[in-house]
Short mmCIF file of all heavy atoms in Angstrom, two decimals:
data_model
loop_
_atom_site.label_atom_id
_atom_site.label_comp_id
_atom_site.label_asym_id
_atom_site.label_seq_id
_atom_site.Cartn_x
_atom_site.Cartn_y
_atom_site.Cartn_z
N ASN A 15 0.79 -1.23 0.00
CA ASN A 15 -0.02 0.00 -0.01
C ASN A 15 0.81 1.27 0.01
O ASN A 15 0.32 2.39 0.25
CB ASN A 15 -0.96 0.01 1.20
CG ASN A 15 -1.95 -1.11 1.14
OD1 ASN A 15 -2.27 -1.60 0.09
ND2 ASN A 15 -2.40 -1.55 2.33
N LEU A 16 2.14 1.19 -0.28
CA LEU A 16 2.97 2.36 -0.25
C LEU A 16 2.64 3.31 -1.44
O LEU A 16 2.34 2.88 -2.54
CB LEU A 16 4.43 1.96 -0.35
CG LEU A 16 5.08 1.26 0.84
CD1 LEU A 16 6.45 0.78 0.44
CD2 LEU A 16 5.16 2.18 2.02
N SER A 17 2.63 4.61 -1.11
CA SER A 17 2.42 5.60 -2.12
C SER A 17 3.77 5.86 -2.89
O SER A 17 4.83 5.39 -2.39
CB SER A 17 1.87 6.86 -1.59
OG SER A 17 2.89 7.47 -0.73
N GLY A 18 3.74 6.66 -3.97
CA GLY A 18 4.99 6.97 -4.64
C GLY A 18 5.89 7.74 -3.74
O GLY A 18 7.14 7.54 -3.74
N ARG A 19 5.34 8.68 -2.93
CA ARG A 19 6.18 9.47 -2.04
C ARG A 19 6.77 8.61 -1.01
O ARG A 19 7.96 8.76 -0.60
CB ARG A 19 5.30 10.59 -1.47
CG ARG A 19 6.10 11.45 -0.42
CD ARG A 19 7.19 12.26 -1.12
NE ARG A 19 7.95 13.06 -0.18
CZ ARG A 19 8.82 14.00 -0.54
NH1 ARG A 19 8.94 14.26 -1.88
NH2 ARG A 19 9.52 14.67 0.31
N GLU A 20 5.98 7.70 -0.34
CA GLU A 20 6.50 6.83 0.67
C GLU A 20 7.61 5.88 0.16
O GLU A 20 8.57 5.68 0.83
CB GLU A 20 5.37 6.06 1.28
CG GLU A 20 4.40 6.95 2.09
CD GLU A 20 3.11 6.21 2.42
OE1 GLU A 20 2.76 5.23 1.69
OE2 GLU A 20 2.37 6.69 3.33
N ALA A 21 7.39 5.41 -1.04
CA ALA A 21 8.42 4.57 -1.65
C ALA A 21 9.71 5.33 -1.88
O ALA A 21 10.83 4.84 -1.61
CB ALA A 21 7.90 4.00 -2.97
N ALA A 22 9.61 6.60 -2.30
CA ALA A 22 10.80 7.43 -2.53
C ALA A 22 11.49 7.73 -1.17
O ALA A 22 12.72 7.79 -1.19
CB ALA A 22 10.34 8.72 -3.22
N GLU A 23 10.71 7.93 -0.11
CA GLU A 23 11.37 8.13 1.21
C GLU A 23 12.17 6.90 1.63
O GLU A 23 13.23 7.02 2.21
CB GLU A 23 10.31 8.57 2.17
CG GLU A 23 9.79 9.99 1.94
CD GLU A 23 8.82 10.41 2.95
OE1 GLU A 23 8.36 9.60 3.80
OE2 GLU A 23 8.38 11.62 2.93
N LEU A 24 11.58 5.72 1.44
CA LEU A 24 12.26 4.47 1.76
C LEU A 24 13.56 4.34 0.94
O LEU A 24 14.63 3.94 1.45
CB LEU A 24 11.42 3.29 1.59
CG LEU A 24 10.26 3.11 2.64
CD1 LEU A 24 9.43 1.86 2.31
CD2 LEU A 24 10.84 2.98 4.02
N ALA A 25 13.49 4.72 -0.34
CA ALA A 25 14.63 4.66 -1.19
C ALA A 25 15.72 5.66 -0.74
O ALA A 25 16.92 5.36 -0.83
CB ALA A 25 14.26 4.94 -2.63
N ALA A 26 15.28 6.75 -0.20
CA ALA A 26 16.19 7.79 0.26
C ALA A 26 17.05 7.36 1.46
O ALA A 26 18.10 7.96 1.73
CB ALA A 26 15.48 9.03 0.57
N ILE A 27 16.52 6.44 2.27
CA ILE A 27 17.26 6.07 3.51
C ILE A 27 18.12 4.87 3.33
O ILE A 27 18.90 4.46 4.21
CB ILE A 27 16.29 5.85 4.71
CG1 ILE A 27 15.49 4.55 4.53
CG2 ILE A 27 15.44 7.09 4.93
CD1 ILE A 27 14.75 4.20 5.79
N LEU A 28 18.04 4.20 2.12
CA LEU A 28 18.81 2.96 1.94
C LEU A 28 20.30 3.02 2.24
O LEU A 28 20.86 2.13 2.75
CB LEU A 28 18.54 2.49 0.55
CG LEU A 28 17.34 1.52 0.35
CD1 LEU A 28 17.13 1.15 -1.08
CD2 LEU A 28 17.51 0.24 1.23
N PRO A 29 20.92 4.13 1.87
CA PRO A 29 22.43 4.14 2.17
C PRO A 29 22.75 4.09 3.61
O PRO A 29 23.81 3.49 3.97
CB PRO A 29 22.92 5.47 1.56
CG PRO A 29 21.86 5.85 0.51
CD PRO A 29 20.55 5.29 1.19
N ASN A 30 21.84 4.57 4.48
CA ASN A 30 22.26 4.63 5.89
C ASN A 30 21.03 4.70 6.80
O ASN A 30 20.65 5.81 7.29
CB ASN A 30 23.14 5.80 6.20
CG ASN A 30 23.82 5.71 7.52
OD1 ASN A 30 23.36 4.99 8.48
ND2 ASN A 30 24.90 6.45 7.73
N PRO A 31 20.27 3.56 7.00
CA PRO A 31 19.10 3.66 7.76
C PRO A 31 19.28 3.87 9.28
O PRO A 31 18.36 4.03 9.96
CB PRO A 31 18.47 2.20 7.52
CG PRO A 31 19.66 1.34 7.20
CD PRO A 31 20.58 2.21 6.47
N MET A 32 20.52 3.82 9.70
CA MET A 32 20.84 4.13 11.07
C MET A 32 20.76 5.67 11.32
O MET A 32 20.47 6.12 12.41
CB MET A 32 22.18 3.64 11.50
CG MET A 32 22.38 2.15 11.35
SD MET A 32 21.15 1.26 12.38
CE MET A 32 21.49 -0.44 11.90
N ARG A 33 21.05 6.46 10.31
CA ARG A 33 21.16 7.87 10.45
C ARG A 33 20.03 8.56 9.76
O ARG A 33 19.79 9.75 10.00
CB ARG A 33 22.46 8.40 9.91
CG ARG A 33 23.68 7.89 10.72
CD ARG A 33 24.98 8.46 10.23
NE ARG A 33 25.05 9.91 10.43
CZ ARG A 33 26.06 10.67 10.04
NH1 ARG A 33 27.14 10.13 9.45
NH2 ARG A 33 25.99 11.98 10.25
N ARG A 34 19.39 7.95 8.79
CA ARG A 34 18.23 8.49 8.11
C ARG A 34 16.97 7.79 8.45
O ARG A 34 17.00 6.58 8.71
CB ARG A 34 18.52 8.52 6.58
CG ARG A 34 19.71 9.18 6.17
CD ARG A 34 19.91 9.16 4.66
NE ARG A 34 21.16 9.63 4.20
CZ ARG A 34 21.66 9.60 2.97
NH1 ARG A 34 20.88 9.05 2.04
NH2 ARG A 34 22.80 10.11 2.67
N SER A 35 15.83 8.45 8.40
CA SER A 35 14.58 7.88 8.78
C SER A 35 13.47 8.27 7.82
O SER A 35 13.35 9.45 7.53
CB SER A 35 14.19 8.28 10.18
OG SER A 35 12.91 7.82 10.57
N ALA A 36 12.66 7.28 7.42
CA ALA A 36 11.47 7.51 6.66
C ALA A 36 10.29 7.75 7.63
O ALA A 36 9.26 8.36 7.22
CB ALA A 36 11.18 6.40 5.66
N ARG A 37 10.45 7.31 8.78
CA ARG A 37 9.41 7.48 9.83
C ARG A 37 9.33 8.88 10.33
O ARG A 37 8.28 9.45 10.48
CB ARG A 37 9.71 6.51 10.98
CG ARG A 37 8.60 6.41 12.09
CD ARG A 37 8.95 5.29 13.08
NE ARG A 37 7.88 5.07 13.99
CZ ARG A 37 7.83 4.10 14.85
NH1 ARG A 37 8.86 3.21 14.91
NH2 ARG A 37 6.83 3.94 15.65
N THR A 38 10.52 9.50 10.51
CA THR A 38 10.64 10.89 10.88
C THR A 38 11.57 11.54 9.92
O THR A 38 12.74 11.79 10.31
CB THR A 38 11.00 11.08 12.30
OG1 THR A 38 12.22 10.38 12.56
CG2 THR A 38 9.88 10.58 13.27
N PRO A 39 11.25 11.79 8.67
CA PRO A 39 12.22 12.21 7.68
C PRO A 39 12.78 13.63 7.97
O PRO A 39 12.00 14.55 8.29
CB PRO A 39 11.50 12.18 6.36
CG PRO A 39 10.00 12.30 6.80
CD PRO A 39 9.88 11.64 8.11
N GLY A 40 14.10 13.78 7.81
CA GLY A 40 14.69 15.06 7.94
C GLY A 40 14.77 15.80 6.62
O GLY A 40 14.25 15.34 5.64
N VAL A 41 15.48 16.90 6.65
CA VAL A 41 15.55 17.69 5.36
C VAL A 41 16.22 16.94 4.26
O VAL A 41 15.72 16.96 3.13
CB VAL A 41 16.34 18.98 5.72
CG1 VAL A 41 16.55 19.81 4.40
CG2 VAL A 41 15.62 19.84 6.70
N LEU A 42 17.27 16.23 4.54
CA LEU A 42 17.99 15.53 3.47
C LEU A 42 17.12 14.36 2.86
O LEU A 42 16.98 14.24 1.66
CB LEU A 42 19.29 14.94 4.01
CG LEU A 42 20.08 14.04 3.01
CD1 LEU A 42 20.47 14.85 1.76
CD2 LEU A 42 21.32 13.41 3.69
N VAL A 43 16.43 13.64 3.72
CA VAL A 43 15.57 12.56 3.22
C VAL A 43 14.38 13.10 2.38
O VAL A 43 14.16 12.56 1.35
CB VAL A 43 14.98 11.74 4.42
CG1 VAL A 43 13.90 10.77 3.93
CG2 VAL A 43 16.14 10.95 5.11
N ARG A 44 13.82 14.21 2.88
CA ARG A 44 12.77 14.81 2.03
C ARG A 44 13.31 15.34 0.71
O ARG A 44 12.62 15.17 -0.30
CB ARG A 44 12.11 15.96 2.88
CG ARG A 44 11.33 15.46 4.08
CD ARG A 44 10.36 16.57 4.56
NE ARG A 44 11.09 17.74 5.03
CZ ARG A 44 11.52 17.94 6.28
NH1 ARG A 44 11.29 16.99 7.20
NH2 ARG A 44 12.17 19.04 6.62
N ARG A 45 14.46 15.92 0.74
CA ARG A 45 15.07 16.44 -0.50
C ARG A 45 15.36 15.28 -1.46
O ARG A 45 15.03 15.35 -2.64
CB ARG A 45 16.32 17.15 -0.15
CG ARG A 45 17.07 17.72 -1.33
CD ARG A 45 18.41 18.26 -0.93
NE ARG A 45 19.21 18.66 -2.10
CZ ARG A 45 20.49 18.77 -2.12
NH1 ARG A 45 21.24 18.44 -1.03
NH2 ARG A 45 21.18 19.17 -3.15
N LEU A 46 15.97 14.22 -0.97
CA LEU A 46 16.31 13.08 -1.81
C LEU A 46 15.03 12.40 -2.32
O LEU A 46 14.92 12.03 -3.51
CB LEU A 46 17.17 12.05 -1.09
CG LEU A 46 18.56 12.52 -0.68
CD1 LEU A 46 19.23 11.46 0.24
CD2 LEU A 46 19.42 12.65 -1.97
N ALA A 47 13.99 12.24 -1.46
CA ALA A 47 12.77 11.64 -1.86
C ALA A 47 12.10 12.40 -3.00
O ALA A 47 11.58 11.84 -3.97
CB ALA A 47 11.80 11.52 -0.64
N SER A 48 12.18 13.76 -2.92
CA SER A 48 11.60 14.58 -4.06
C SER A 48 12.33 14.27 -5.37
O SER A 48 11.71 14.18 -6.39
CB SER A 48 11.68 16.04 -3.68
OG SER A 48 10.89 16.36 -2.51
N VAL A 49 13.68 14.21 -5.27
CA VAL A 49 14.48 13.92 -6.46
C VAL A 49 14.08 12.51 -7.00
O VAL A 49 13.87 12.40 -8.23
CB VAL A 49 15.97 13.96 -6.13
CG1 VAL A 49 16.81 13.52 -7.31
CG2 VAL A 49 16.39 15.39 -5.78
N TYR A 50 14.04 11.53 -6.15
CA TYR A 50 13.82 10.12 -6.64
C TYR A 50 12.35 10.02 -7.17
O TYR A 50 12.07 9.26 -8.12
CB TYR A 50 14.09 9.14 -5.54
CG TYR A 50 15.51 9.17 -5.08
CD1 TYR A 50 15.84 8.86 -3.72
CD2 TYR A 50 16.59 9.59 -5.84
CE1 TYR A 50 17.13 8.84 -3.23
CE2 TYR A 50 17.88 9.60 -5.40
CZ TYR A 50 18.16 9.29 -4.08
OH TYR A 50 19.44 9.31 -3.62
N GLU A 51 11.43 10.64 -6.45
CA GLU A 51 10.03 10.57 -6.95
C GLU A 51 9.93 11.25 -8.31
O GLU A 51 9.24 10.66 -9.20
CB GLU A 51 9.12 11.27 -5.91
CG GLU A 51 7.61 11.10 -6.21
CD GLU A 51 6.71 11.85 -5.16
OE1 GLU A 51 7.33 12.65 -4.44
OE2 GLU A 51 5.56 11.52 -5.11
N GLY A 52 10.56 12.35 -8.47
CA GLY A 52 10.52 12.96 -9.74
C GLY A 52 11.22 12.18 -10.87
O GLY A 52 10.77 12.05 -12.02
N ARG A 53 12.33 11.56 -10.52
CA ARG A 53 13.04 10.74 -11.44
C ARG A 53 12.28 9.53 -11.89
O ARG A 53 12.24 9.16 -13.04
CB ARG A 53 14.39 10.31 -10.82
CG ARG A 53 15.41 9.67 -11.78
CD ARG A 53 16.70 9.30 -11.07
NE ARG A 53 17.38 10.45 -10.56
CZ ARG A 53 18.42 10.38 -9.71
NH1 ARG A 53 18.83 9.23 -9.22
NH2 ARG A 53 19.06 11.53 -9.38
N ALA A 54 11.56 8.94 -10.90
CA ALA A 54 10.69 7.75 -11.18
C ALA A 54 9.53 8.14 -12.10
O ALA A 54 9.22 7.46 -13.07
CB ALA A 54 10.18 7.13 -9.94
N ALA A 55 8.97 9.30 -11.84
CA ALA A 55 7.80 9.72 -12.61
C ALA A 55 8.25 10.09 -14.06
O ALA A 55 7.49 9.83 -15.01
CB ALA A 55 7.16 11.01 -12.01
N ALA A 56 9.41 10.58 -14.19
CA ALA A 56 9.93 10.95 -15.50
C ALA A 56 10.44 9.79 -16.33
O ALA A 56 10.57 9.84 -17.54
CB ALA A 56 11.02 11.98 -15.37
N ASN A 57 10.78 8.68 -15.62
CA ASN A 57 11.31 7.44 -16.28
C ASN A 57 10.60 6.20 -15.86
O ASN A 57 11.18 5.33 -15.16
CB ASN A 57 12.80 7.37 -15.97
CG ASN A 57 13.62 8.56 -16.42
OD1 ASN A 57 13.98 8.66 -17.55
ND2 ASN A 57 13.84 9.48 -15.49
N PRO A 58 9.35 6.12 -16.18
CA PRO A 58 8.58 4.95 -15.68
C PRO A 58 9.00 3.65 -16.25
O PRO A 58 8.50 2.58 -15.72
CB PRO A 58 7.12 5.34 -16.20
CG PRO A 58 7.33 6.16 -17.39
CD PRO A 58 8.57 6.99 -17.10
N ASP A 59 9.87 3.62 -17.20
CA ASP A 59 10.32 2.31 -17.80
C ASP A 59 11.66 1.86 -17.22
O ASP A 59 12.21 0.88 -17.70
CB ASP A 59 10.50 2.48 -19.33
CG ASP A 59 9.23 2.75 -19.97
OD1 ASP A 59 8.12 2.25 -19.59
OD2 ASP A 59 9.19 3.46 -21.02
N LEU A 60 12.17 2.54 -16.16
CA LEU A 60 13.41 2.17 -15.56
C LEU A 60 13.34 0.71 -15.08
O LEU A 60 14.37 0.03 -15.01
CB LEU A 60 13.75 3.09 -14.40
CG LEU A 60 14.42 4.40 -14.73
CD1 LEU A 60 14.62 5.25 -13.49
CD2 LEU A 60 15.73 4.26 -15.48
N ASP A 61 12.15 0.31 -14.64
CA ASP A 61 12.02 -1.06 -14.11
C ASP A 61 11.38 -2.03 -15.09
O ASP A 61 10.77 -3.02 -14.73
CB ASP A 61 11.24 -1.05 -12.81
CG ASP A 61 9.79 -0.59 -13.02
OD1 ASP A 61 9.48 0.02 -14.07
OD2 ASP A 61 8.97 -0.78 -12.09
N GLY A 62 11.55 -1.75 -16.38
CA GLY A 62 10.91 -2.55 -17.37
C GLY A 62 11.29 -3.99 -17.36
O GLY A 62 10.50 -4.90 -17.58
#
C-alpha cells in the first residue's frame, strides 16, 4: 500500500538507515525523496 512518495522516502534512507529515517524524515531525506520521486515519474520504464 505504499504511495509513490513513501516509496521514494524508503529509497532515500537505503544508504544509511541508522542515520536517516522515513518514519521521521529530515531535510535531506525529504530532499532526496523529491528527487527520486521525480526521477521515477519521468522514467517509468526504468524497471521494465
Side-chain angles (χ1 to χ4, degrees):
N15 295 335
L16 291 173
S17 67
R19 178 66 184 193
E20 291 165 340
E23 288 182 352
L24 287 179
I27 70 169
L28 271 175
N30 195 339
M32 301 300 176
R33 298 183 62 181
R34 301 179 188 176
S35 174
R37 189 173 186 170
T38 54
V41 174
L42 176 60
V43 169
R44 291 197 297 269
R45 178 188 175 204
L46 291 172
S48 295
V49 171
Y50 300 152
E51 187 179 18
R53 190 179 293 170
N57 300 278
D59 297 326
L60 280 179
D61 63 343

